[in-house]
Amino acid sequence: MTTTTGVLSARVPVEQRGPGLDRDAVRLLVSRGTEVSHHEFVELPGQLRAGDLLVVNTSATLAAAVDGNIGHARVVVHFSTRGDDGRWAVELRDPDGRGTTRARAGGPAGTRVRLPGGVRLVLEEPLTARSPRLWWGRVSDADVLGLLRRHGRPIRYSYTERDQPLSVYQTVFALPSGDGAGSAEMPSAARPFTPRLVAELVSRGVQFAPITLHTGVASAESHEPPYPERYEVPAASARLINAAKAGDGRVVAVGTTAVRAVESAADADGVVLARKGWTDLVVTPERGVRVVDGLLTGLHEPEASHLLMLEAIAGRAAVDRSYDAALSGLYLWHEFGDVHLILPEGNPHSGHCSSN
């Protein structure tokens, strides 16, 4: 499989690329097996049918990047995930002099970071033994979400052109959670949706099932499997998903976060239950998918865990064909880029579920 080059990175949101453009002015690659077709995102309603169900992530994006200091050295702290014990999983990064950051070694334990307003962060231990990138840290002020609101900004990587307001990183489905929690990085597959497009989909009989999964820090340089993340599948959404599967509707996840949530809430027979908590599920071809029939996803660097999920849904040949088509068609990548709709061939509920 060919990889992307920097020239294909979407450096600014589509609505800033020309007058009169809205978020839905991106391109849509549609694949059914190894058959690929090229569309505009506004044509999405024509690719779906009455009875189809879109599973959407309602997690709001946090202003999760905060400037700090270790001694005299400047650092940027990316706040990833709040643990049940009040600690936060954080990633420390070095400013690169261009308004973005570069990776740095994590730790060591006991490292103290000065944050705005006299707040202190102390690193305690790595999040997992396999990677020192993310660390559990304890913050002297318990109101970390208040700190982010006052002093934070959206996490931004070097392939983007400039800082953007937090509103640029909120999807149309984002809802404030009761405890103020949210995602360190935008659930970006849903970014192209506009209220007008949602209304058109509803008018055509397409339904929406909201779930919540708060995404942690991914880091552009990292190729690690996803870390445990907090999720919730409400009872009403579980009923909608099960009803779609019992009929002839297709369950299409909007983003890999939606796949991870609903697959975590499904039993061995593919029945989705109302569940919430932490998930460490990594969807692979060996595990298979038990619920979703299709996926709407952004175009990202082909790192392992993302590709494995796509292969679990579509198969390796289809993934290779679609990535090659996206590259030859000069589709734009990353969170401000174009999107890829994976739909099943034939019977939407056959051939997905594994035996384990």
Side-chain angles (χ1 to χ4, degrees):
M1 175 181 295
T2 315
T3 59
T4 72
T5 60
V7 72
L8 293 181
S9 295
R11 297 182 59 77
V12 296
V14 63
E15 62 271 22
Q16 297 176 14
R17 294 178 208 153
L21 297 179
D22 205 343
R23 289 184 175 208
D24 56 11
V26 296
R27 299 170 68 192
L28 174 68
L29 181 75
V30 179
S31 59
R32 293 176 174 85
T34 55
E35 294 184 7
V36 174
S37 56
H38 302 274
H39 306 268
E40 302 298 322
F41 189 75
V42 292
E43 299 175 57
L44 176 66
Q47 301 300 314
L48 301 174
R49 62 194 187 205
D52 285 347
L53 180 71
L54 294 176
V55 182
V56 296
N57 189 355
T58 63
S59 180
T61 309
L62 302 174
V66 179
D67 292 324
N69 292 86
I70 300 176
H72 296 294
R74 293 177 57 228
V75 296
V76 178
V77 181
H78 287 178
F79 283 85
S80 179
T81 307
R82 181 173 59 186
D84 291 335
D85 59 0
R87 298 188 299 175
W88 278 78
V90 298
E91 179 187 25
L92 269 56
R93 295 175 67 88
D94 290 322
D96 62 5
R98 300 186 300 271
T100 53
T101 59
R102 56 179 175 265
R104 63 171 284 150
T111 297
R112 295 175 177 268
V113 184
R114 299 193 310 277
L115 299 173
V119 178
R120 297 288 188 274
L121 165 69
V122 180
L123 301 187
E124 294 189 351
E125 59 182 337
L127 187 65
T128 70
R130 69 174 180 265
S131 171
R133 183 174 64 87
L134 287 175
W135 279 65
W136 285 115
R138 199 170 293 278
V139 183
S140 60
D141 184 342
D143 185 19
V144 172
L145 295 171
L147 172 75
L148 300 185
R149 286 192 297 271
R150 292 188 300 272
H151 301 289
R153 61 185 179 277
I155 289 175
R156 175 189 157 212
Y157 294 113
S158 58
Y159 52 78
T160 58
E161 186 173 290
R162 57 181 176 267
D163 284 345
Q164 299 283 350
L166 185 59
S167 59
V168 165
Y169 291 88
Q170 304 294 6
T171 75
V172 72
F173 304 111
L175 295 171
S177 63
D179 61 0
S183 289
E185 297 182 10
M186 172 177 55
S188 56
R191 191 183 189 279
F193 284 88
T194 61
R196 182 201 61 77
L197 191 65
V198 171
E200 182 179 350
L201 286 162
V202 171
S203 73
R204 288 174 175 243
V206 176
Q207 294 184 293
F208 290 83
I211 58 87
T212 302
L213 186 139
H214 296 313
T215 68
V217 168
S219 289
E221 310 84 6
S222 173
H223 297 279
E224 303 158 349
Y227 292 97
E229 294 169 317
R230 195 188 304 272
Y231 80 103
E232 179 175 6
V233 176
S237 293
R239 287 194 296 270
L240 284 169
I241 295 167
N242 293 329
K245 292 184 69 64
D248 61 358
R250 298 171 295 185
V251 177
V252 178
V254 178
T256 57
T257 60
V259 177
R260 199 179 195 203
V262 297
E263 294 291 332
S264 297
D267 65 16
D269 297 320
V271 176
V272 177
L273 310 172
R275 282 182 175 166
K276 63 180 179 179
W278 291 87
T279 178
D280 59 2
L281 176 66
V282 179
V283 177
T284 65
E286 292 73 28
R287 189 266 186 193
V289 287
R290 300 167 181 168
V291 181
V292 301
D293 303 303
L295 171 65
L296 182 72
T297 181
L299 296 162
H300 301 279
E301 295 290 348
E303 46 91 5
S305 62
H306 181 81
L307 282 187
L308 288 174
M309 181 182 287
L310 267 59
E311 288 176 27
I313 297 169
R316 180 60 185 266
V319 174
D320 284 349
R321 174 73 183 91
S322 58
Y323 265 63
D324 289 343
L327 286 166
S328 62
L330 300 180
Y331 279 68
L332 296 180
W333 299 66
H334 301 303
E335 65 265 31
F336 297 144
D338 300 316
V339 285
H340 177 204
L341 175 63
I342 300 171
L343 291 174
E345 297 178 289
N347 185 340
H349 302 312
S350 65
H352 282 292
C353 188
S354 70
S355 60
N356 59 332

